Coordinates of all heavy atoms in Angstrom, one line a residue:
M303 N 106.0 86.8 100.3 CA 106.8 87.8 100.9 C 107.6 87.3 102.1 O 107.2 86.4 102.8 CB 106.0 89.0 101.4 CG 105.0 89.6 100.3 SD 105.8 90.4 99.0 CE 106.5 91.8 99.8
S304 N 108.8 87.9 102.3 CA 109.6 87.6 103.5 C 108.7 87.9 104.8 O 108.0 89.0 104.8 CB 110.9 88.4 103.5 OG 111.6 88.3 104.7
P305 N 108.7 87.0 105.8 CA 109.6 86.0 106.1 C 109.3 84.6 105.4 O 110.1 83.7 105.5 CB 109.5 85.8 107.6 CG 108.1 86.1 107.9 CD 107.7 87.2 106.9
G306 N 108.1 84.4 104.9 CA 107.7 83.2 104.3 C 108.3 82.9 103.0 O 108.5 81.7 102.6
G307 N 108.6 83.9 102.2 CA 109.1 83.8 100.9 C 110.2 84.7 100.6 O 110.8 85.4 101.4
P308 N 110.7 84.8 99.3 CA 111.9 85.6 98.9 C 111.7 87.0 98.7 O 112.7 87.8 98.5 CB 112.3 84.8 97.6 CG 111.0 84.4 97.0 CD 110.1 84.0 98.2
H309 N 110.4 87.5 98.5 CA 110.2 88.9 98.0 C 110.1 89.9 99.2 O 109.7 89.5 100.3 CB 109.0 88.9 97.2 CG 109.1 88.0 96.0 ND1 108.0 87.2 95.6 CD2 110.1 87.8 95.1 CE1 108.4 86.5 94.5 NE2 109.7 86.9 94.2
H310 N 110.5 91.1 98.9 CA 110.4 92.2 99.8 C 109.6 93.3 99.3 O 109.1 93.3 98.2 CB 111.9 92.7 100.1 CG 112.7 91.7 100.9 ND1 113.3 90.6 100.2 CD2 113.0 91.5 102.2 CE1 114.0 89.9 101.1 NE2 113.7 90.4 102.3
I311 N 109.3 94.4 100.1 CA 108.4 95.4 99.8 C 108.8 96.1 98.5 O 108.0 96.5 97.7 CB 108.3 96.4 100.9 CG1 107.7 95.7 102.2 CG2 107.3 97.6 100.5 CD1 106.3 95.1 102.0
E312 N 110.1 96.3 98.3 CA 110.6 97.0 97.0 C 110.2 96.1 95.8 O 109.8 96.7 94.7 CB 112.1 97.2 97.1 CG 112.9 95.9 97.1 CD 114.3 96.1 97.7 OE1 114.4 96.2 98.9 OE2 115.2 96.0 96.9
D313 N 110.2 94.8 95.9 CA 109.7 93.9 94.8 C 108.2 94.1 94.6 O 107.8 94.2 93.4 CB 110.0 92.5 95.2 CG 111.5 92.2 95.4 OD1 112.3 92.7 94.6 OD2 111.8 91.6 96.5
L314 N 107.5 94.2 95.7 CA 106.0 94.4 95.5 C 105.7 95.7 94.9 O 104.8 95.8 94.1 CB 105.3 94.3 96.9 CG 103.8 94.5 97.0 CD1 103.1 93.5 96.1 CD2 103.3 94.4 98.4
H315 N 106.5 96.7 95.3 CA 106.3 98.1 94.7 C 106.5 98.0 93.2 O 105.7 98.5 92.4 CB 107.2 99.1 95.3 CG 107.0 100.5 94.8 ND1 105.8 101.1 94.9 CD2 107.9 101.3 94.1 CE1 105.9 102.3 94.4 NE2 107.2 102.4 93.9
R316 N 107.6 97.4 92.8 CA 107.9 97.3 91.3 C 106.9 96.5 90.6 O 106.6 96.7 89.4 CB 109.3 96.7 91.1 CG 110.5 97.6 91.4 CD 111.8 97.1 90.9 NE 112.2 95.8 91.6 CZ 113.0 95.7 92.6 NH1 113.5 96.8 93.1 NH2 113.3 94.6 93.1
A317 N 106.3 95.5 91.3 CA 105.3 94.7 90.6 C 103.9 95.3 90.5 O 103.0 94.7 89.9 CB 105.2 93.4 91.4
G318 N 103.7 96.5 91.0 CA 102.5 97.2 90.9 C 101.8 97.6 92.2 O 100.8 98.3 92.3
G319 N 102.4 97.1 93.4 CA 102.0 97.5 94.7 C 100.6 97.0 95.1 O 100.0 96.1 94.5
V320 N 100.1 97.6 96.2 CA 98.9 97.1 96.8 C 97.7 97.3 95.8 O 96.8 96.5 95.7 CB 98.6 97.9 98.1 CG1 97.3 97.5 98.7 CG2 99.7 97.6 99.1
Q321 N 97.8 98.4 95.0 CA 96.7 98.7 94.1 C 96.5 97.5 93.1 O 95.4 97.2 92.7 CB 96.9 100.0 93.4 CG 96.9 101.2 94.3 CD 95.6 101.5 95.0 OE1 94.6 101.6 94.3 NE2 95.6 101.6 96.3
A322 N 97.7 97.0 92.6 CA 97.6 95.9 91.7 C 97.0 94.6 92.3 O 96.3 93.9 91.6 CB 99.1 95.6 91.2
I323 N 97.4 94.3 93.6 CA 96.8 93.2 94.3 C 95.3 93.4 94.3 O 94.5 92.5 94.0 CB 97.3 93.1 95.7 CG1 98.8 92.7 95.7 CG2 96.5 92.1 96.5 CD1 99.5 92.8 97.1
M324 N 94.8 94.6 94.7 CA 93.4 94.9 94.8 C 92.7 94.8 93.5 O 91.5 94.3 93.4 CB 93.2 96.3 95.5 CG 93.7 96.3 96.9 SD 93.0 97.7 97.9 CE 93.8 99.1 97.0
K325 N 93.3 95.2 92.4 CA 92.7 95.1 91.1 C 92.4 93.6 90.8 O 91.3 93.3 90.2 CB 93.5 95.7 90.0 CG 92.8 95.8 88.7 CD 93.4 96.8 87.8 CE 92.6 97.0 86.5 NZ 93.1 98.1 85.7
Q326 N 93.3 92.7 91.1 CA 93.1 91.3 90.8 C 91.9 90.8 91.7 O 91.1 90.0 91.2 CB 94.3 90.5 91.1 CG 95.4 90.8 90.1 CD 96.4 89.6 89.9 OE1 96.9 89.4 88.8 NE2 96.5 88.7 90.9
L327 N 91.9 91.2 93.0 CA 90.9 90.7 93.9 C 89.5 91.3 93.4 O 88.5 90.6 93.5 CB 91.2 91.1 95.3 CG 92.4 90.5 95.9 CD1 92.6 91.0 97.4 CD2 92.4 89.0 96.0
A328 N 89.5 92.5 93.0 CA 88.3 93.2 92.6 C 87.7 92.5 91.4 O 86.4 92.4 91.2 CB 88.5 94.6 92.3
A329 N 88.5 92.0 90.5 CA 88.1 91.4 89.2 C 87.2 90.2 89.5 O 86.4 89.8 88.6 CB 89.3 91.0 88.4
V330 N 87.4 89.5 90.6 CA 86.6 88.3 90.9 C 85.6 88.6 92.1 O 85.2 87.7 92.9 CB 87.4 87.1 91.2 CG1 88.1 86.7 89.9 CG2 88.5 87.3 92.3

Side-chain angles (χ1 to χ4, degrees):
M303 309 292 293
S304 176
H309 300 133
H310 291 82
I311 299 298
E312 64 202 76
D313 302 312
L314 179 57
H315 182 62
R316 285 194 295 265
V320 177
Q321 299 293 307
I323 295 173
M324 293 197 295
K325 187 160 188 174
Q326 291 207 152
L327 297 178
V330 293

